[in-house]
Amino acid sequence: MLVARASTAKRLARSFATVVDSKASGIKVAAIDNGQPTTAVTFLVKAGSRYEPGPGVAHALKNFAFKSTANRSTLGTVRESDLYGGVLSTSLSREYLAFTSEFLRGDESFFTSVLTSVLTTPKFLPHEYTEYVLPVVHDEAAVASRSPGTIAVEAAHALAFRTGLGASLFAGPHTPVSLESVKSFAKEAFTSGNVAVVGTGIDSTRLAELVDKALADAALPTSSPITAAPSKYFGGSTRIDSHEGPQTIFIGFGTTTPSPVFPVLCAHIAPTQSLKWPSAPRPSAAVTSVHLPYSDALLTGVLVQGADARSVTEAAKAVVEKLKKPLNPDELKTAVARAKFAVAAATEGRDGLVEAIGGKIFSNANASIESTLAALDKVDGTAISKAVSELTAATPTYVAVGDVKTLPYADEIGL
C-alpha cells in the first residue's frame, strides 16, 4: 500500500509539463517525460475558427497540413514518416490549430523538422488545394452535417456567442473558400507570437533546442499575437429538422467568467456511469455532459439523445429539475470527486494534456494539475447555488435537432 501511494504521488508530481522559452525563436515550449517509449510533439497555433477572416478558412488551412513545403513534397513527407513509423495528424478547435507528430524515441529531430516546415515554408500549391484539400473539407463537412450531436453543438455556439467563438469549425456548402484567403490567414497566424510547442515523452529543454535548430534556417516571422474581439454571451433557441441519427436536444448555458464551479455542476447534472455495465436497465435516452472552456468564455451543458422524442423530453425535464434543485452535502462531495477525476483522467492522454496546457501556455497561467484540483476542492454549496442562480437568470442556449414537430420547446422542459 505504501509503495502504491508513493508511486501515485510521484506520478502526480510530474503530471504536468515544464514550460520554457526557446532561446533563439522565443517560442514557448512545454513538455513532460514520464518515461514512455514513444514521443509526441504538437505545434499549437492560434488559428482556430474564432480568428478566421471568413467562414471555412480555418477548416481549409487545417487540411493543408503536411502538404508540399520547400523541404519536402507531400509524397516525400508521407514516405519518410512511414519509414520512421511515425503518425502525423491535425486537429482544429475554435481557438487553436494543432499539428501533431507521434513517433519512437530518438526520432524527434526529424519530426520536429517536419512540423516546423509546415509553418515556415508551405507552398500552398493550387493543384493540391483542388485535388487534396477541398475534397477532404467537403467530406468532413458532410459527415458533420449528418451527426445530430455535432449539429447541435455547432448551433449552440452560434446562438451562445454569435461571432468569434460562434464561428463554425466546418466550411459551409454555400460559402466557398479561396486559396488566397487560406494563404493570407496562414501568413497572419504562422508567426512566433501565435505558436507554442507541447511535447510528451521528451524533456522540455531538449525540445526547445530542437525547435531552435529547426527554425535556424527558416524562422517564423515575428509579430504580435493574433487577436479577436472579446467574447460575449447571448443565448437563444433554435430547432433544426433532421432525419439522420437520434432525436437530440442540447441544453446549455454560457458565461464570460469561467469558474471551477461549472465543471462540478456539469458533473452533477450529467454524471458518468460508475459501472461500465450496470445491472439496472439503461435509460432510453442518453445524457452526456458538454463542458467547453475557452480563453475568455465557457459553454457548458448537456446533450440529450434518444430514439424517440418522448424519452428525450422526459430526460431533458429531469436534467432541468436536477439543475434547479439545491445539492445536499453528499451530492456536492460526489460531484467534486467526479469533476476532479475527469480533469485528472483527461491529462493521462496526449490529447487531453495538450488541451489542458494549450490555453495556459499562451496566457502564462499556472498549468499544474495540483492547482486545478485544489480549485475544485474549494467549490462549496454557496458557490453552486450562486452559479445556478446566475445561469438560470440568463438566456439559456437550447437546440433541438430531429423531428421538430414532436421535440419540445425550451419552456416545455422548464427552462
Side-chain angles (χ1 to χ4, degrees), residues 145-176:
S145 69
R146 293 192 293 269
S147 169
T150 303
I151 294 171
V153 173
E154 289 294 302
H157 279 86
L159 288 170
F161 304 110
R162 297 184 183 175
T163 58
L165 291 174
S168 176
L169 294 175
F170 304 96
H174 307 298
T175 52

Side-chain angles (χ1 to χ4, degrees), residues 16 198 200 342-358:
F16 255 64
V198 180
T200 59
V343 169
T347 59
E348 289 291 322
R350 283 171 171 159
D351 292 341
L353 184 65
V354 171
E355 184 178 343
I357 293 177

